[in-house]
Amino acid sequence: MRRLLLLSLTLSSLAFAETTTEVQRFRDRSPFDRTFGIGAYATGWAGAYGGAGLGARVRIELLPWLGTDLFGEALVVTAPSGIRHDHPIGFNLFFPIRLGNVVRLRPLIGMCVVASFIEPTEPQAPRADDVLVGAHAGAGLEIALHHRLSFFVEGKAVVWMGHDRSVQGWTGAVGNEVQPFLVGQAQLGLTLHLGGS
């Protein structure tokens, strides 16, 4: 019985020491001190059209006042006929404002290109695909959960330039005029921070 109690105390002490070390590392080294990161997030659009999907990004932060996100997303967009899916790829330039070791603001600007496809409901119907170009601005809040992990939430205003399109039954049309589309975008997700000790 004494051996079991001694073993239990030893294991508890080791677990406590490890936890204390992790807490101290978190206090001493913020995940925001690391140069690279990879993230995954849920995203949604509302405005000229609505949509929802998933995204992933790579963060590179070589300067304390400037960073870059390279991102790719896949969204299903509401469409009156057929199934529309959009695939943006682009970048953010962000300007981190540290509010201590565990919280920071991320004002951001950026651009992206969207491959947008409408799958008609009729198998032989013509397609109405397009490529849109957009610019965006917004801000985010990032909260450290661990010395290598953070949670983020962001909001952006996005202006796309593209063609008006319609698909109805056996017909599909892409307009000749390039016009703007304004949407608001929200996203929330996690970033794994890499580099450093």
Side-chain angles (χ1 to χ4, degrees):
M1 186 69 175
R2 286 179 83 183
R3 288 183 183 174
L4 185 59
L5 181 60
L6 186 58
L7 179 62
S8 176
L9 286 173
T10 304
L11 290 175
S12 297
S13 298
L14 289 173
F16 179 74
E18 181 63 25
T19 302
T20 304
T21 302
E22 283 298 308
V23 169
Q24 191 59 44
R25 287 182 74 189
F26 187 35
R27 287 183 183 153
D28 293 344
R29 183 152 175 86
S30 168
F32 309 140
D33 295 332
R34 300 180 188 278
T35 306
F36 303 102
I38 53 174
Y41 55 92
T43 187
W45 289 336
Y49 44 81
L54 299 173
R57 69 187 186 191
V58 175
R59 177 184 62 86
I60 304 166
E61 203 166 337
L62 299 176
L63 300 170
W65 53 271
L66 178 66
T68 303
D69 294 319
L70 307 174
F71 65 84
E73 300 169 352
L75 294 96
V76 175
V77 178
T78 55
S81 178
I83 298 171
R84 175 176 165 180
H85 50 102
D86 286 10
H87 304 274
I89 56 169
F91 70 91
N92 299 319
L93 292 178
F94 64 89
F95 310 93
I97 301 169
R98 295 277 290 263
L99 304 175
N101 243 22
V102 296
V103 178
R104 70 176 177 177
L105 297 175
R106 288 177 20 120
L108 58 91
I109 57 173
M111 296 187 71
C112 63
V113 175
V114 181
S116 180
F117 306 99
I118 296 181
E119 309 288 346
T121 52
E122 300 296 335
Q124 303 303 318
R127 300 179 62 86
D129 300 335
D130 196 14
V131 174
L132 297 86
V133 177
H136 57 265
L141 181 68
E142 192 170 14
I143 300 169
L145 303 176
H146 179 266
H147 63 89
R148 287 196 180 271
L149 186 69
S150 65
F151 167 80
F152 65 87
V153 59
E154 292 175 352
K156 300 188 287 191
V158 186
V159 178
W160 302 114
M161 299 300 292
H163 301 92
D164 196 19
R165 293 171 289 159
S166 64
V167 173
Q168 294 181 353
W170 291 89
T171 64
V174 178
N176 293 324
E177 300 281 326
V178 174
Q179 58 183 337
F181 301 95
L182 179 62
V183 299
Q185 182 173 9
Q187 49 200 44
L188 58 91
L190 297 170
T191 300
L192 177 64
H193 299 262
L194 306 170
S197 57

